[in-house]
Amino acid sequence: MTTFTMKFQFPEQLTPAQARSTFYWTPHDTGSFTTRLRPRLGLFGPVKPANADLVRLAVLVYAADRSVARRANGASWSRRDLHLDVPVTEPAPWQATQARWEALLGFLSGDSWSLAFRRARLPAEPVSPYRYPGAERVVLLSGGADSAVGALLSQHELGSRRQLLFSHVGATNIAPLQRDIATRITALTGAADLPHQQLRFSRNSKQPGGHPFPDERSTRTRSLLFLALGLALASIEEIDLHIPENGFASLNLPLSADQRGSVSTRTTHPYFLDELSQVAAASEAHAPVTNPLAAMTKGEMFTRTGELIGAHAASEFLSSTHSCGHTGHRSHGYPVMSHCGVCFGCLLRRASFSASGITDRTTYLNETGDPNLAVYLRNNSMETALRGFLTRGVRPADLLSLTLPEHYPLAAAKALIERGTHELETLIR
């Protein structure tokens, strides 16, 4: 078992054991993270204390996930045993929900988690005035097509009323794209006031003093931090949080009979969002989380966008988003924000353009004909797995493995999956 904790003051001398097991989130830029945000979240405004606790839990989960390699004995998805010592303001409600948090984190990442909650001794920090009064909801804007469509449809629904777009910035190259999408939504909807809050938060590659962290790149828990930060903002005026994601990908259908949770992250899975809302509320945090696109395929989302703003504008808007799950093409001389064209995110994107009839203006690396990319693209391609998935079809055992919440009818999930697989078949035959 690997154990981690979080502290708020950097020691005068950091031992190797402390460097391996402790993340330092200090009031100054001397710790383990790159961010302007401090442990009390005063930058956001008067955040509800339990929501600041939730952010600290999510930061610790994310940092631990990044710092323990999965690749053991040749298995790239080995199950890890992780223990976290989590600082919170009032331990009692968190201790009462401990088992549920452990199970939820296991569902999200596929690991075994154990948690201990202790009373935090937090450093003082200034609390900024809240800058977005009157916003009716917070919408997470990642830079992907789904979040962009969700934010567009949400603003169209609100009309002249206000929403707040919130973006987590892990790598700085995504930040300009997020700002561009927010600007496009403002222009397309005629919104008089569409605030967009971006926040960079990433674990450093090294501890202060030079001790390097291991770097596991498969992090399935990063979006939990995105959700927790969004809920912290939403807690100030107790408004809802929207995390838009197409329902087909959210169901996380297995690509083969012996795989589970292999299509995409489980962060927007209906069970995960339901349980997160319930267990966070039981821990006294503000936690109404909704996926407004849960009943739609990605192709249906693209079609709805075309109906709303016109096919040409939809083509430009959707093509400006980013869906690729890989960044390794930068080592081959291509910008990190390029689209490989062969990962699951790219294949689903291409199929959605095809199914909706909207012109795809995206440049995909697999269409460049560059022979230097052949091995890279072949090693990262999901096309063979998807072709096998489509050939064998969805089996009853696949549906039974979905872990749906009680209110989600299996028939509705089956119908959604059938529509989603039909869209994939327009690209992969």
Side-chain angles (χ1 to χ4, degrees):
M1 179 179 292
T2 307
T3 298
F4 294 99
T5 190
M6 176 186 289
K7 294 186 178 179
F8 308 108
Q9 182 175 351
F10 198 73
E12 291 184 5
Q13 185 172 359
L14 183 67
T15 68
Q18 289 172 320
R20 287 192 299 270
S21 64
T22 307
F23 298 108
Y24 295 93
W25 191 1
T26 67
H28 311 287
D29 295 322
T30 58
S32 309
F33 305 103
T34 297
T35 184
R36 296 182 297 126
L37 195 65
R38 302 307 178 220
R40 291 182 183 268
L41 315 192
L43 177 70
F44 283 172
V47 171
K48 188 174 181 179
N51 282 89
D53 293 338
L54 177 58
V55 169
R56 289 190 291 272
L57 169 62
V59 167
L60 197 46
V61 168
Y62 159 73
D65 193 11
R66 284 281 314 269
S67 303
V68 180
R70 288 187 178 276
R71 299 170 184 87
N73 300 320
S76 60
W77 281 104
S78 55
R79 184 180 181 89
R80 303 164 300 175
D81 291 320
L82 302 166
H83 176 76
L84 305 182
D85 181 52
V86 187
V88 294
T89 50
E90 292 294 337
W94 296 93
Q95 291 166 347
T97 56
Q98 175 185 329
R100 293 177 67 185
W101 280 113
E102 292 169 347
L104 188 62
L105 293 174
F107 178 84
L108 179 62
S109 75
D111 299 302
S112 176
W113 297 84
S114 65
L115 306 175
F117 295 99
R118 60 177 167 83
R119 190 176 301 277
R121 299 181 62 183
L122 294 166
E125 65 180 79
V127 177
S128 301
Y130 180 53
R131 292 186 288 164
Y132 314 109
E136 296 193 18
R137 67 179 60 129
V138 177
V139 181
L140 300 186
L141 183 69
S142 66
D146 292 33
S147 69
V149 171
L152 177 74
L153 297 182
S154 175
Q155 188 59 58
H156 176 72
E157 174 192 333
L158 290 172
S160 61
R161 292 174 291 159
R162 198 183 202 201
Q163 66 178 351
L164 167 61
L165 304 182
F166 175 68
S167 298
H168 170 227
V169 179
T172 54
N173 43 48
I174 193 71
L177 184 144
Q178 293 168 340
R179 290 193 293 271
D180 175 67
I181 292 171
T183 299
R184 289 174 184 267
I185 293 171
T186 301
L188 289 167
T189 61
D193 182 18
L194 180 55
H196 178 209
Q197 166 82 59
Q198 290 180 294
L199 177 77
R200 186 174 183 193
F201 202 117
S202 61
R203 192 217 60 184
N204 295 328
S205 60
K206 297 178 180 180
Q207 288 275 31
H211 190 286
F213 285 114
D215 197 19
E216 172 55 50
R217 305 300 298 177
S218 65
T219 51
R220 288 189 167 188
T221 63
R222 187 181 72 84
S223 292
L224 175 62
L225 175 57
F226 196 8
L227 280 162
L229 290 166
L231 283 170
L233 277 168
S235 76
I236 296 172
E237 291 194 330
E238 297 190 335
I239 56 179
D240 288 353
L241 176 70
H242 283 195
I243 177 168
E245 178 80 11
N246 76 86
F248 174 70
S250 295
L251 288 175
N252 209 247
L253 202 68
L255 291 183
S256 66
D258 61 348
Q259 290 179 312
R260 294 292 178 265
S262 56
V263 169
S264 64
T265 177
R266 283 180 153 183
T267 313
T268 56
H269 189 286
Y271 167 79
F272 179 81
L273 291 182
D274 269 26
E275 181 64 5
L276 174 65
S277 295
Q278 293 178 33
V279 71
S283 304
E284 300 185 359
H286 175 76
V289 183
T290 301
N291 176 7
L293 306 178
M296 301 176 72
T297 67
K298 200 180 190 86
E300 290 166 352
M301 290 164 40
F302 281 24
T303 299
R304 176 70 182 109
T305 303
E307 293 169 347
L308 181 65
I309 62 176
H312 178 76
S315 173
E316 291 191 339
F317 177 65
L318 295 169
S319 298
S320 73
T321 64
H322 185 259
S323 302
C324 188
H326 295 302
T327 58
H329 27 266
R330 59 187 168 188
S331 64
H332 296 273
Y334 289 89
V336 68
M337 298 305 293
S338 303
H339 283 84
C340 70
V342 297
C343 68
F344 178 75
C346 283
L347 290 168
L348 187 58
R349 176 191 181 95
R350 291 168 58 197
S352 301
F353 273 110
S354 175
S356 65
I358 293 174
T359 301
D360 187 358
R361 303 171 188 267
T362 312
T363 298
Y364 297 100
L365 298 183
N366 69 318
E367 297 175 346
T368 63
D370 186 344
N372 295 321
L373 291 171
V375 174
Y376 168 72
L377 293 173
R378 183 170 62 250
N379 289 342
N380 287 290
S381 177
M382 292 294 291
E383 187 167 353
T384 299
L386 277 176
R387 195 180 302 278
F389 165 74
L390 295 173
T391 298
R392 74 175 178 85
V394 178
R395 300 172 180 175
D398 298 329
L399 296 173
L400 294 175
S401 75
L402 293 177
T403 320
L404 297 173
E406 291 184 1
H407 64 80
Y408 197 129
L410 189 61
K414 183 176 182 292
L416 177 61
I417 290 167
E418 288 172 347
R419 302 197 308 274
T421 53
H422 178 69
E423 291 177 2
L424 286 169
E425 287 169 345
T426 66
L427 178 72
I428 302 174
R429 297 179 175 87

